[in-house]
Amino acid sequence: MLSIEDIRASTIQSEKIPCSLSGCLVVEKIVSLCTGCGKKYCLEHRHDVNHKCVAIRIQEAAAQEKRDAIQSFVREKLGFASDVVVVSTKTGVKKTTNYTVEFMKMKSRAK
């Protein structure tokens, strides 16, 4: 991880710095340092999504693994073979099981 001093130092420089994104020709005095990949980007490409940061893919993969683990745990404990569809008798709306909510309910009951 980058320290606050590194980030401040990257924005205080008086020289013009080119954007690290290939194909971007912008050269600015104030650039933004990405905390995920550590590269310097212009104001247009400063967000992770705009420069397709590698760190975003790693975070998304970790989040998907966590969702899958929760889903398999809840299915195992509650005995669901697949997604359970519940139809409300009042409104007739179909709802699928949200495994994260079911997991939180299980944790609250365990205390």
Side-chain angles (χ1 to χ4, degrees), residues 2 6 12 17 36 47 57 59-60 65 68 72 74 79 86:
L2 299 169
D6 292 337
I12 294 176
I17 302 169
H47 298 293
R57 290 187 210 123
Q59 290 171 353
E60 287 176 354
E65 287 177 13
D68 292 342
S72 65
V74 171
V86 178

Side-chain angles (χ1 to χ4, degrees), residues 15-19 24-31 42:
E15 61 192 47
K16 290 189 175 184
I17 302 169
C19 180
C24 182
L25 303 174
V26 175
V27 179
E28 295 181 343
K29 285 186 177 183
I30 298 175
V31 292
C42 65

